[in-house]
Amino acid sequence: MELPNEQFSSEDSDMPLSEVIAKRRRITYISSHDSSTDSSSDIIPFHRFPVGRNIILSSSEDEEDESNIINNNTNASTTDWSNPIGNQPQLTSFEGAHGFKMLNRNYENVEDIYFLLLDDRILDIIVEETNRYAEKMLFEKTSSRLDKWKPTDKTEIKRFFGLIMWMGIVKLPEVHLYWSKDAAYAQSLPSSVLSRNRFEILLRMLHFCDNENENLNDRLYKIRVIIDMLNENFQKYYDPGETVCIDESLIPFRGRIVFKQYIKQKRHKYGVKIFKLCSAPGYTVNFQIYCGKKTDTEKTTPTNVVLSLCKNIFGKGHTLCTDNWYTSVDLARQLIARNTHLVGTMRSNRRGIPKDLVAKKLKRNEYIAKESLDGITVLKWKDKRDVLVLSTKHSDETVVVHKRGYDCVKPKIVMEYNKGKSYVDVSDQISSYCNPLRKSVKWYKKIVLELLLNTAVVNAWIIHNSLTNNKISSVEFRKQLAMQMMSHKDNNSLSNVPKRVRHEIKKKDGQFDLVRKRCKICYKNNVKKFGSKSAKNCTKKVITFCDGCLDKPHLCLPCFNKVHRNMPL
């Protein structure tokens, strides 16, 4: 590189080239600030009226030469990026419908909408596999609780799910306390829906697949069918809006599982990660559960996750918002080829972005932008800290925002991203209200209950509010849905709610000497004290018996009161 004679002296000949360049830049900087045409004199101070200044990098030939020397090994060639000229790709504009796909029927009850998403196919699978698993458990082991098992059906599963949903609204420390007679915990509703023993055994036997069909290549084989059917129903009855968002959620779980994740930003830091594609105002269009890097059935790289979740909305002109884990120049080009825009924050070490833009130091509310040959804009904006964003939809346009008593200039890309990025967070926030999840050893039960009783409920609530002018809160929707599900009557005459038998003491009909027998309780007590021979002689005989017991034992009045009336002798 040749330097002008007036800035190059004999003593500079022994200096390294980089120091000569630095010296020349200092001379240029001083001379430019001494001139009367200094452009910085017109800048308004930032402390009262921040104004975005579009800084043009490589404005002088000297800076271009220096950047070529320093960044000669960079992935982003300077010829691929230039100052923004608004040459964004002209994709097909979004013209699709947004909202619930109307069907030719009226939905008067909230459960009618919910059971569009949790349809009969899903309920049939749950009933079939739960009964199958219970039969297997009965064959392998026996116990007093298992011996009382009776096959379940769809009506009982609806009441079962409705009761779990209601438990999320009315919270108690332990599940068994919902049936407690203690005045501090007393609840009359659970015992009228299911007995405690029936609820606990249903929760124990709840299953979603045939264990004989184990697929070692799919870690989610236990719930794969439920996942596929829910995704199908979520997309079947709702059209997403123009702007959609992809982000991850966390289902809290601290048990042992190979694909458990730790996410620092989430309130529950340990759990199962789930990728969501959401649309306004928080509707989950599609989801995918992360099950580890070593599996072949799940595409776990950021680009593949996006392409997998969005495969059914490509070609319609949607705008996708992603955070810095997903956003890259390669993803932007792949989405452009599929007629989809990308707007998102980006990490500074991504391949293909201009390194001189990343290295540039900015003041508060300054920004700098570069545009590729195919219309991809990369913009760096200084707010409280540096923000790096990418867009295939915007150039370097700015908008004026009124903020805390003064006007602030923001890039339009940042405004668009802030508007669309929140859809997944809104979905998670609504799901957290009255969450019915509890600690569980079985990971697959916790995931399915999260999907069926949280994600599906939020989607049904959004559909309900889009169909009626009488919008209700998510908590009120949950309450109405739970009460309607618990009101289903048993159609197959299963005695799941046992009737309380009223034990009554009666006299035996017949001749006194023939019908009287020893009191059963007194005889047992005397046997322990005196032995069987003495007990036969000292135990009194009575003609009274309990008509409510199965064996109708003879009991004296004090023993009857002690056993069935809980009265002291």
Side-chain angles (χ1 to χ4, degrees):
M1 183 174 61
E2 184 179 357
L3 298 175
N5 294 329
E6 63 271 17
Q7 297 180 10
F8 189 87
S9 62
S10 59
E11 60 181 6
D12 294 332
S13 60
D14 297 329
M15 297 173 60
L17 181 58
S18 59
E19 295 184 10
V20 175
I21 294 174
K23 179 179 179 180
R24 175 181 170 178
R25 293 195 62 181
R26 287 195 297 270
I27 297 172
T28 306
Y29 177 83
I30 295 172
S31 61
S32 63
H33 279 66
D34 291 338
S35 62
S36 58
T37 59
D38 186 2
S39 59
S40 63
S41 59
D42 297 330
I43 297 177
I44 300 176
F46 286 94
H47 64 283
R48 293 303 302 164
F49 188 81
V51 178
R53 297 184 295 174
N54 191 357
I55 301 175
I56 307 300
L57 284 181
S58 303
S59 58
S60 65
E61 182 180 354
D62 306 326
E63 292 180 353
E64 290 180 357
D65 294 338
E66 182 184 357
S67 63
N68 289 334
I69 295 173
I70 298 174
N71 299 319
N72 55 357
N73 293 324
T74 185
N75 292 324
S77 174
T78 56
T79 59
D80 295 339
W81 298 89
S82 60
N83 297 328
I85 58 175
N87 187 30
Q88 275 60 57
Q90 299 299 318
L91 306 183
T92 303
S93 59
F94 178 79
E95 296 179 354
H98 175 210
F100 179 62
K101 299 178 182 179
M102 294 296 295
L103 301 178
N104 296 325
R105 58 173 293 189
N106 295 325
Y107 300 95
E108 298 179 355
N109 299 324
V110 295
E111 70 170 354
D112 294 336
I113 300 175
Y114 176 69
F115 285 119
L116 290 176
L117 307 179
L118 182 62
D119 56 13
D120 288 339
R121 299 178 304 157
I122 298 178
L123 291 174
D124 289 337
I125 289 175
I126 295 175
V127 170
E128 179 182 356
E129 299 304 335
T130 300
N131 290 330
R132 190 201 307 274
Y133 182 70
E135 291 176 3
K136 181 181 177 181
M137 294 295 294
L138 286 170
F139 179 77
E140 293 177 352
K141 61 179 74 173
T142 58
S143 67
S144 59
R145 182 71 61 86
L146 287 175
D147 292 341
K148 296 179 181 179
W149 166 261
K150 293 182 180 180
T152 185
D153 63 351
K154 288 193 295 185
T155 304
E156 187 180 38
I157 291 296
K158 289 180 180 180
R159 296 204 309 271
F160 175 67
F161 284 163
L163 186 55
I164 295 177
M165 200 179 302
W166 175 83
M167 289 178 178
I169 302 173
V170 182
K171 293 184 180 294
L172 291 180
E174 301 290 342
V175 172
H176 67 88
L177 294 177
Y178 287 97
W179 288 267
S180 174
K181 296 181 180 179
D182 191 329
Y185 303 112
Q187 299 288 336
S188 61
L189 182 61
S191 59
S192 66
V193 179
L194 289 171
S195 68
R196 187 197 67 183
N197 289 348
R198 184 62 180 176
F199 178 87
E200 290 179 349
I201 198 170
L202 278 174
L203 188 61
R204 178 181 176 183
M205 297 300 173
L206 190 64
H207 221 67
F208 313 101
C209 79
D210 187 359
N211 288 343
E212 300 296 330
N213 299 328
E214 181 179 1
N215 183 3
L216 298 178
N217 295 324
D218 186 4
R219 289 176 175 171
L220 300 174
Y221 79 93
K222 284 183 175 291
I223 56 175
R224 175 61 63 189
V225 177
I226 304 296
I227 291 174
D228 294 341
M229 288 185 177
L230 278 178
N231 272 326
E232 179 184 344
N233 290 341
F234 288 170
Q235 299 172 49
K236 180 179 179 181
Y237 296 105
Y238 196 87
D239 287 319
E242 178 180 1
T243 303
V244 293
C245 172
I246 288 181
D247 204 351
E248 61 269 3
S249 298
L250 194 70
I251 302 175
F253 184 75
R254 287 184 172 268
R256 293 186 178 181
I257 185 173
V258 67
F259 49 89
K260 183 173 66 175
Q261 291 287 297
Y262 172 85
I263 301 181
K264 186 177 181 180
Q265 291 80 7
K266 301 295 182 180
R267 187 168 67 93
H268 302 285
K269 295 183 179 181
Y270 289 96
V272 179
K273 185 163 66 174
I274 175 172
F275 301 108
K276 284 185 177 182
L277 172 68
C278 290
S279 175
Y283 185 92
T284 302
V285 181
N286 198 358
F287 65 89
Q288 175 179 310
I289 297 174
Y290 176 80
C291 56
K293 293 182 179 179
K294 295 184 179 180
T295 57
D296 297 328
T297 56
E298 293 293 335
K299 299 178 179 179
T300 57
T301 62
T303 299
N304 288 335
V305 167
V306 172
L307 297 180
S308 176
L309 288 175
C310 299
K311 60 183 178 181
N312 293 326
I313 66 170
F314 285 142
K316 300 179 181 179
H318 288 280
T319 299
L320 175 64
C321 292
T322 58
D323 65 13
N324 58 22
W325 191 77
Y326 306 90
T327 310
S328 65
V329 176
D330 176 63
L331 175 62
R333 291 189 171 121
Q334 293 199 43
L335 293 180
I336 289 173
R338 292 167 171 80
N339 198 48
T340 303
H341 283 295
L342 175 65
V343 177
T345 57
M346 190 164 54
R347 297 179 181 178
S348 59
N349 59 353
R350 290 294 190 193
R351 293 181 181 179
I353 62 176
K355 301 302 180 182
D356 50 356
L357 179 144
V358 174
K360 188 67 177 179
K361 302 295 183 181
L362 302 176
K363 295 181 180 179
R364 183 72 179 268
N365 287 302
E366 289 182 342
Y367 71 91
I368 178 173
K370 286 291 183 178
E371 188 176 290
S372 66
L373 297 178
D374 49 357
I376 300 174
T377 301
V378 176
L379 182 142
K380 182 179 179 181
W381 175 58
K382 181 66 175 290
D383 189 28
K384 292 182 179 179
R385 59 183 62 88
D386 290 336
V387 178
L388 190 64
V389 291
L390 177 146
S391 176
T392 62
K393 188 177 182 180
H394 309 85
S395 183
D396 61 342
E397 305 98 334
T398 59
V399 292
V400 179
V401 180
H402 187 72
K403 182 179 179 181
R404 296 180 182 178
Y406 66 96
D407 291 337
C408 174
V409 176
K410 280 189 176 182
K412 196 172 182 180
I413 301 176
V414 176
M415 298 292 293
E416 182 84 8
Y417 173 75
N418 289 338
K419 180 181 178 182
K421 72 172 183 178
S422 62
Y423 298 152
V424 175
D425 295 333
V426 170
S427 176
D428 292 344
Q429 181 181 358
I430 299 172
S431 297
S432 67
Y433 302 151
C434 305
N435 192 324
L437 295 184
R438 292 180 179 268
K439 291 182 180 180
S440 174
V441 177
K442 304 294 185 181
W443 61 268
Y444 57 88
K445 290 183 183 179
K446 197 155 192 178
I447 292 178
V448 170
L449 291 180
E450 166 69 24
L451 296 175
L452 296 181
L453 305 184
N454 269 338
T455 307
V457 170
V458 172
N459 283 358
W461 169 70
I462 292 173
I463 293 175
H464 174 270
N465 284 351
S466 67
L467 293 178
T468 177
N469 294 327
N470 184 22
K471 296 182 179 181
I472 59 177
S473 67
S474 61
V475 178
E476 177 65 21
F477 182 86
R478 280 182 184 272
K479 188 206 75 172
Q480 293 184 19
L481 178 59
M483 297 302 294
Q484 291 178 16
M485 292 174 68
M486 288 187 292
S487 65
H488 285 275
K489 295 182 179 180
D490 200 348
N491 295 326
N492 61 355
S493 301
L494 291 178
S495 57
N496 296 328
V497 184
K499 297 180 179 179
R500 288 187 175 272
V501 178
R502 177 70 178 177
H503 293 271
E504 299 289 346
I505 192 169
K506 294 183 179 181
K507 291 183 178 181
K508 200 78 170 179
D509 296 332
Q511 190 175 348
F512 180 82
D513 294 336
L514 298 179
V515 298
R516 67 176 187 158
K517 292 183 180 181
R518 297 181 183 89
C519 173
K520 185 176 181 180
I521 303 297
C522 292
Y523 179 73
K524 285 184 178 181
N525 293 334
N526 290 335
V527 167
K528 293 179 181 179
K529 292 180 180 180
F530 312 112
S532 59
K533 290 184 180 181
S534 300
K536 289 181 181 179
N537 297 326
C538 68
T539 303
K540 61 182 177 182
K541 294 183 179 181
V542 294
I543 62 172
T544 55
F545 71 99
C546 179
D547 189 47
C549 296
L550 294 177
D551 54 350
K552 301 187 184 304
H554 279 67
L555 298 174
C556 63
L557 183 59
C559 291
F560 174 84
N561 289 335
K562 183 178 180 180
V563 174
H564 296 302
R565 297 292 184 262
N566 197 23
M567 297 175 63
L569 295 177

